[in-house]
Amino acid sequence: MKPLVIKFGGSVLEELPPAFYQDIVQLHKSRKWKPVIVHGGGPLITEMLTQLAVETEFVNGMRKTTDEVLDVVEMVLSGKVNKQVVRNITQAGGRAAGISGVDGNLIQARQVEETELGQVGQVEAVQTEILQSLMDRDFIPVISPLGAGLSGERYNINGDVAAAAMAKALGGSLCFVSNIPGIYREENGEKKVLPYISEPEAKGMIADGVIKEGMIPKIQSALDALMYKVPEVVILDGTEKGSLISFSKGHSVGTQVVL
Ligand SMILES: Nc1ncnc2c1ncn2[C@@H]1O[C@H](COP(=O)(O)OP(=O)(O)O)[C@@H](O)[C@H]1O
Ligand SMILES: CC(=O)N[C@@H](CCC(=O)OP(=O)(O)O)C(=O)O
């Protein structure tokens, strides 16, 4: 059974149909794959911060995280989104258990170098023991992207970064499920989805501003994962029927990231 890290972002979370969760359960039951879910929830965090009248700002797809923001991030990701995803998988006939990167010291983190981002973490190490215990007992782990520091502090980790760290630690494939059919590039005034994107192309497209916002951490995490021997990374649309199953069968779907 091969580990398959499936990350879904807040962009698509509320649009994912029951069939998507059924596909995850089908992969799990096939005994060919061990799915591990990492979720985001950026738009829901923003919504809650707005309701609480707390200002929020992104720099290159990363949220500036004060202590006040961090409380809301943890509340929304680990309290609301994580449990909703667990319920959705259960509803689809699967066995799921929700944890955050803090549980079992799964994601050990420290502050990113860009200190102006505040309590945003970068992954230092991953301790997969808790994941292995859940998977050994046939649970699909569902992870919210928070990290634990050495001195008991916690960090806000971008969901894409956390997913890449899981794929690296497990040596599994990585599937970014988002709200777009892949990476777009304009050709002759027409938006085209690229079936493949290589590292030099991706870097050029970031520099040219063609890849922007939340797609920046996604592509950077994809390249980082590939550099550490993750066998394959793809970006696909979770609302497209059967996209996950197609990917699992080796069919071309979405945009595959290559070095
Ligand atoms: N070249 C690009 N191709 C596709 N999407 C892009 C591109 N550049 C920026 N994006 C944006 O990235 C978004 C996906 O990132 P994000 O909103 O963080 O998604 P998620 O919540 O799924 O992680 C897309 O909805 C799109 O608006
Ligand atoms: C540091 C950072 O930006 N953390 C993200 C964590 C959630 C996330 O990554 O959600 P998406 O997958 O929906 O983007 C945030 O605060 O929004």
Side-chain angles (χ1 to χ4, degrees):
M1 287 208 281
K2 292 190 280 182
L4 172 61
V5 177
I6 304 168
K7 186 268 171 171
F8 27 98
S11 66
V12 76
L13 208 59
E14 289 173 296
E15 290 160 41
L16 289 174
F20 177 80
Y21 292 98
Q22 286 156 9
D23 287 350
I24 294 177
V25 173
Q26 187 188 322
L27 290 180
H28 189 220
K29 289 191 173 161
S30 75
R31 318 300 299 173
K32 289 195 188 120
W33 297 94
K34 281 197 248 184
V36 172
I37 313 297
V38 178
H39 63 80
L44 289 166
I45 298 169
T46 302
E47 198 180 299
M48 183 61 80
L49 287 167
T50 309
Q51 273 175 30
L52 297 170
V54 179
E55 276 188 30
T56 186
E57 189 192 333
F58 283 88
V59 179
N60 291 331
M62 298 283 195
R63 188 188 307 273
K64 279 194 177 180
T65 306
T66 58
D67 287 339
E68 195 183 17
V69 169
L70 187 55
D71 274 340
V72 177
V73 168
E74 189 164 36
M75 183 171 83
V76 172
L77 291 182
S78 297
K80 185 175 171 168
V81 179
N82 189 275
K83 300 308 145 199
Q84 181 67 59
V85 173
V86 168
R87 286 200 304 276
N88 291 348
I89 296 174
T90 309
Q91 197 69 27
R95 275 158 63 83
I99 54 173
S100 93
V102 171
D103 291 286
N105 222 10
L106 175 62
I107 302 178
Q108 294 143 57
R110 67 178 158 89
Q111 193 182 25
V112 287
E113 268 128 47
E114 302 86 346
T115 48
E116 71 277 10
L117 288 173
Q119 300 301 103
V120 173
Q122 64 184 50
V123 180
E124 277 270 274
V126 174
Q127 219 166 294
T128 57
E129 197 185 334
I130 191 164
L131 292 186
Q132 299 295 358
S133 340
L134 290 172
M135 291 191 288
D136 288 349
R137 281 162 186 75
D138 237 15
F139 282 101
I140 300 172
V142 178
I143 304 160
S144 58
L146 286 117
L150 274 182
S151 319
E153 68 277 30
R154 42 183 189 152
Y155 291 102
N156 178 9
I157 299 187
N158 178 276
D160 300 330
V161 172
M166 290 308 116
K168 278 157 66 176
L170 296 168
S173 301
L174 176 55
C175 182
F176 287 112
V177 176
S178 193
N179 63 342
I180 31 97
I183 296 187
Y184 291 123
R185 186 167 55 194
E186 228 169 82
E187 278 168 32
N188 308 323
E190 229 184 287
K191 248 182 174 182
K192 286 229 165 107
V193 177
L194 302 177
Y196 293 94
I197 188 167
S198 67
E199 182 181 15
E201 271 178 304
K203 289 196 166 149
M205 284 167 73
I206 293 175
D208 295 345
V210 178
I211 288 179
K212 49 186 195 269
E213 297 153 1
M215 193 50 75
I216 297 177
K218 208 178 298 303
I219 202 85
Q220 283 173 340
S221 303
L223 293 170
D224 175 50
L226 289 167
M227 237 122 47
Y228 283 86
K229 308 275 177 257
V230 163
E232 51 189 344
V233 183
V234 76
I235 299 169
L236 56 78
D237 185 350
T239 64
E240 201 181 300
K241 203 165 170 272
S243 55
L244 195 59
I245 299 288
S246 291
F247 165 72
S248 75
K249 289 184 174 158
H251 300 161
S252 168
V253 52
T255 299
Q256 184 170 359
V257 187
V258 292
L259 285 178

